[in-house]
Structures are given as C-alpha cells and as structure tokens.
Amino acid sequence: MNTMSDLHHLIQYLCLLCATCICWDSAQTIGGESNTNLDNSYFFYQRPEYPRDCNEIKSECRSSSSNGVYVIKPDGYSEPFEVFCNNDVDSGGWTVVHRRIDGSVFFNRPWEEYKKGFGFLSSEFWIGNEKLAYITNQANYELRIDMVLSNGSSFYVEYNAFRITDDWGSFALNSVGEYSGNESSVITYCPPGTIFKNVTCEPIQDTEVFTDCYHAYQSGHQEDGVFTIQPSEWTGEPFKVLCNMSIDGGGWTVLQRRVNGSVSFERNWEEYKNGFGILEHEIWLGNDKIYYLTKQKNYELRMDMVNLDEDAYFAKYNLFRISDENSKYQLQLGVYDSTSTTSADSMDQHRNQFFSTPERDNDQIGGYNCAGYYRDGWWYGDKDGSTDCADVYFNPPNIGTTTYPYPYWQNLPGSNYLMYTDIKIRPV
C-alpha cells in the first residue's frame, strides 16, 4: 500500500465486506484538481451496490441526511465517483452538477474538460458531461437551478424532465420538461428607453447618439467609457461601443480588446459578424458594425499590444476599412506609420485578405484552413505562394501564454507572444 488512493480503495472494500457505515476524510476533487485542506467526509454505502445518485443515498441510509460529498455509481458507468449532495433544499436528495460562488474556479475550458469535469466539490465545479449523461439517462430527473443576484435576493427555477445525450450526441440537451419556479419578482425584460441595472429597469442616462467615438469626443466627452453610436447608414438600433478618449489624442472607437482570456474568441462566422464579449473588458465589436463604421469616412487604425515581457508596443496605419459580408469583410489597410513601435509592418501580409473563421475558409490557400488551425476569426491569407497563414493574429484562444495557438505579432523587439491586445479606429 504505497498511496492514499490504495488506502482509499482498501477501506471501500472492507466497508462492503463488513456491511458497516464508514466515513473517510477525502480530498474533494474533480478532473484531477485536488484540495487537501478540507476536513469534510463522505459516506461509503453499506451494501454491495453503490447508490446511483444523491436521492438514493438520502433515502436508504440515516447517516446521509446532511450536505456533503458521497460516492455514487450510475447504471453503466465504469467506476464510482464523488459527488456533492444537497439535502437542504426542497426535501433534499439533489445531486449537484454545477456550482459557482466567487469566481475562484476558471470556467473558460475546452470540450474535454467539460466532458470530464473540473473544480472543487467544496466550492465551484462542473461535474462533467459524461457523468451527467449517465446520471440523467438512468431515470427521470427534475432539474433545479438556484441563483442569487448581486443585491442578495435569491430565486430558483425547476424543470420536471432533465436529460442530456452522450458524447456521440454532443451532450445535447435532450429534454428539460415543464417549467416552474419563484422567479416572478425577477426582471427579465426592460422596455425601450431603460436598461437593466441594480436589479431594476432604470432610464438610460445617455440620450445622445454619436456616429463614432470621435464624434463623442468632439461633443465634450473626453473620458474613457461606453457610448451609444449609430453610423450614418446603419439601419439597426443604435449600439454601445467602448471609447478610448485618453490615448494618442483620444476619440478612438475600440473594435477588439483582450485582457486575460476570460472571453472565448474561438467563435464562428455569425458570432464574429454580430460581435461578442463585454465592452469594458474583452470584445469583438462585430464585422457588420465595423463595416458600417468604416464606410462612413476614412479611418486610421491603431493596434496596441503588450507582450509576455510586459513591454507595450503599437502600430498605426493611415487607413482601415473592411467590405461587407458579401465580399467576405475584405481588409483594406493603408500605410504603416513610421512612429509605430513594433519595428516592422507585420500586417503587410494581411492587406486585401478576406476574413475567415474555422467553418468559413476564405484564406485562398489551397488545401489549408488557417482559421481552423488558429481556432479564431482573422484576415488570413497567402504569403509569397507559401502556406504561411499570418504574421499577425490577435484572436487565437491562448492569450498570455506560449501554448499554441496564441495571439502574436511577428518581429517585435521583444517576445512576439502577446498578453494584451487592443484594436481601435479614429477618423482621419
């Protein structure tokens, strides 16, 4: 017996032999992330079969009436595993599949981690789609979602038939059933002219609408912030943009920004078309909006970046414009500004290239999908007849690291790997 795991399994075996209830201090983990500072215990079942879920644990053993970590084994699953059981809510017996409390566990994860599960059962975790599929396909399950708002008020919703498919079915949400809950006091829609804020619908304070951030700057708004704009030929509703009013004379409309990788940029064509992210944090404004912005006048471009050495650089161009969706958002880029600090015009390869996403390969490199390789959206294209996709790419998923693929600017004075990026435009 060389490891704690060996001792763990031996006590399970002895427990089954002697048919007695035994408690075991356990590191509560999912997906290999251990937490050895816990002093909770879970119950080993006192019959040869493991319980299939938390409801069976609660109903068949008197020692299992409190919240805690227990061992279950759903029908057909290869090995028993630990789950957190909640017995405080609505008669108890709930198998907890997800919990978030304070942001201490990172939830921006790839497919395999969501499949296997991650986090700490004592705090924040995702149980794992594979386990969840086995659990929900052995019986009819109801689903309860509990939520707490920023003001401390709480509410829940319930569905009476929750089930997901297996890995072959991409863990599709197969059924949720009928809805019930106590959410009636929660605002779900705010009428025109108002915005959801402080758990109420409050009047929108900024009634001014500008054509871009430079227009807002000229109107006296000279502090960084979020403003409402409507480009001259934009036919949709006015939309919010992040304006940088402090750098290089101000009036810059931010098109792209990445800070720490908390927003996934591994998106499809429609998402890059419409935009995504959080304006004050990490964003892609949206190719349609960028098209209408740059169509209304001539814009200069500034691309700011910070590399892994924590050195800041920028590159400026005297013209930036993209075409519409029918023309695949083709990039028109002007002359590289000699005041730039990147030391080289690494965007040269991207001039006149079409925008690509993993499922829309527009890079014109035969037999190769650059966006699929880098897992993002960008103006990829051929360089001197080679399959060298890019010298610059700001949107790959692994920002702030040397794990490939990562945001990159070739020929920087220091490290080419980036931990911060920011793309913005201003009228010339």
Side-chain angles (χ1 to χ4, degrees):
M1 187 185 307
N2 296 321
T3 67
M4 183 65 73
S5 178
D6 294 330
L7 181 59
H8 184 149
H9 289 103
L10 176 60
I11 292 182
Q12 289 190 63
Y13 178 71
L14 294 175
C15 176
L16 298 177
L17 286 179
C18 63
T20 59
C21 297
I22 297 176
C23 288
W24 171 258
D25 290 334
S26 170
Q28 298 177 21
T29 66
I30 290 186
E33 299 179 2
S34 63
N35 183 351
T36 57
N37 296 321
L38 303 173
D39 191 25
N40 295 323
S41 61
Y42 61 75
F43 171 74
F44 283 116
Y45 215 60
Q46 64 174 18
R47 64 179 189 180
E49 302 85 7
Y50 285 92
R52 302 187 303 166
D53 54 37
C54 289
N55 192 49
E56 281 196 2
I57 292 174
K58 183 177 184 298
S59 62
E60 298 188 25
C61 185
R62 291 172 300 176
S63 302
S64 59
S65 59
S66 60
N67 294 343
V69 179
Y70 298 85
V71 175
I72 69 168
K73 184 178 181 298
D75 291 341
Y77 199 79
S78 58
E79 296 289 338
F81 56 87
E82 300 168 356
V83 294
F84 188 87
C85 297
N86 185 302
N87 293 312
D88 288 340
V89 174
D90 194 14
S91 301
W94 296 92
T95 305
V96 181
V97 300
H98 162 277
R99 185 169 57 192
R100 301 192 75 175
I101 302 171
D102 55 10
S104 58
V105 170
F106 191 57
F107 273 70
N108 184 9
R109 307 271 184 146
W111 177 270
E112 282 300 313
E113 291 185 67
Y114 269 96
K115 174 182 176 180
K116 296 176 182 178
F118 55 84
F120 305 102
L121 290 173
S122 61
S123 58
E124 300 193 330
F125 65 90
W126 180 260
I127 193 174
N129 288 335
E130 192 169 56
K131 297 182 179 74
L132 185 56
Y134 274 93
I135 292 172
T136 60
N137 281 278
Q138 63 186 348
N140 290 326
Y141 282 85
E142 58 182 327
L143 171 71
R144 177 177 172 122
I145 304 174
D146 284 276
M147 292 158 274
V148 179
L149 299 180
S150 58
N151 69 345
S153 60
S154 61
F155 63 102
Y156 71 91
V157 294
E158 289 186 354
Y159 299 86
N160 68 353
F162 173 65
R163 178 173 297 168
I164 69 169
T165 63
D166 59 12
D167 195 8
W168 290 99
S170 300
F171 301 119
L173 183 60
N174 193 42
S175 169
V176 291
E178 296 181 1
Y179 161 84
S180 63
N182 73 336
E183 88 308 337
S184 58
S185 63
V186 178
I187 300 294
T188 57
Y189 170 76
C190 287
T194 65
I195 188 171
F196 183 75
K197 188 176 181 181
N198 298 324
V199 204
T200 61
C201 290
E202 296 184 359
I204 296 176
Q205 299 298 319
D206 56 323
T207 56
E208 295 178 281
V209 177
F210 307 99
T211 55
D212 55 28
C213 290
Y214 188 67
H215 182 195
Y217 184 85
Q218 288 181 313
S219 300
H221 300 280
Q222 298 183 1
E223 294 185 1
D224 295 351
V226 175
F227 294 85
T228 302
I229 71 167
Q230 185 170 20
S232 56
E233 295 186 35
W234 177 258
T235 57
E237 292 292 323
F239 54 88
K240 303 284 187 180
V241 294
L242 179 64
C243 296
N244 189 312
M245 305 301 198
S246 55
I247 197 170
D248 193 10
W252 297 92
T253 304
V254 178
L255 310 181
Q256 186 262 21
R257 188 167 184 258
R258 301 188 73 183
V259 180
N260 60 6
S262 59
V263 171
S264 172
F265 275 64
E266 190 172 348
R267 308 277 183 142
N268 60 31
W269 181 269
E270 284 298 310
E271 290 173 291
Y272 272 98
K273 171 184 175 178
N274 297 319
F276 53 85
I278 304 168
L279 282 173
E280 297 90 337
H281 192 55
E282 299 196 326
I283 63 157
W284 182 263
L285 184 61
N287 288 336
D288 267 0
K289 296 182 179 74
I290 296 172
Y291 161 66
Y292 279 99
L293 261 170
T294 59
K295 180 183 180 183
Q296 61 186 349
K297 58 187 75 172
N298 289 334
Y299 284 84
E300 61 179 327
L301 172 72
R302 178 175 171 125
M303 304 174 73
D304 283 273
M305 65 209 79
V306 177
N307 68 4
L308 294 189
D309 299 330
E310 300 186 12
D311 294 324
Y313 303 95
F314 73 89
K316 288 180 68 175
Y317 297 84
N318 69 352
L319 179 67
F320 172 83
R321 179 177 293 142
I322 66 171
S323 64
D324 62 10
E325 184 177 19
N326 290 333
S327 300
K328 305 174 187 174
Y329 303 120
Q330 187 176 21
L331 174 63
Q332 183 180 351
L333 192 64
V335 176
Y336 178 73
D337 193 312
S338 61
T339 66
S340 302
T341 59
T342 52
S343 76
D345 177 15
S346 295
M347 282 290 291
D348 179 58
Q349 176 179 347
H350 304 277
R351 284 182 170 85
N352 302 315
Q353 300 298 339
F354 300 115
F355 196 84
S356 292
T357 54
E359 85 288 7
R360 294 275 190 101
D361 181 10
N362 297 320
D363 58 36
Q364 303 184 85
I365 300 177
Y368 199 76
N369 182 350
C370 296
Y373 181 72
Y374 289 104
R375 295 158 47 195
D376 69 347
W378 195 250
W379 294 278
Y380 291 111
D382 179 57
K383 179 180 181 181
D384 302 326
S386 71
T387 57
D388 183 5
C389 293
D391 286 341
V392 175
Y393 35 95
F394 274 15
N395 294 337
N398 301 320
I399 190 165
T401 177
T402 57
T403 302
Y404 212 74
Y406 37 66
Y408 181 86
W409 184 287
Q410 185 165 294
N411 296 321
L412 285 178
S415 171
N416 295 325
Y417 313 125
L418 307 178
M419 59 187 295
Y420 172 90
T421 66
D422 188 298
I423 302 174
K424 43 195 172 290
I425 58 173
R426 181 177 61 186
V428 177

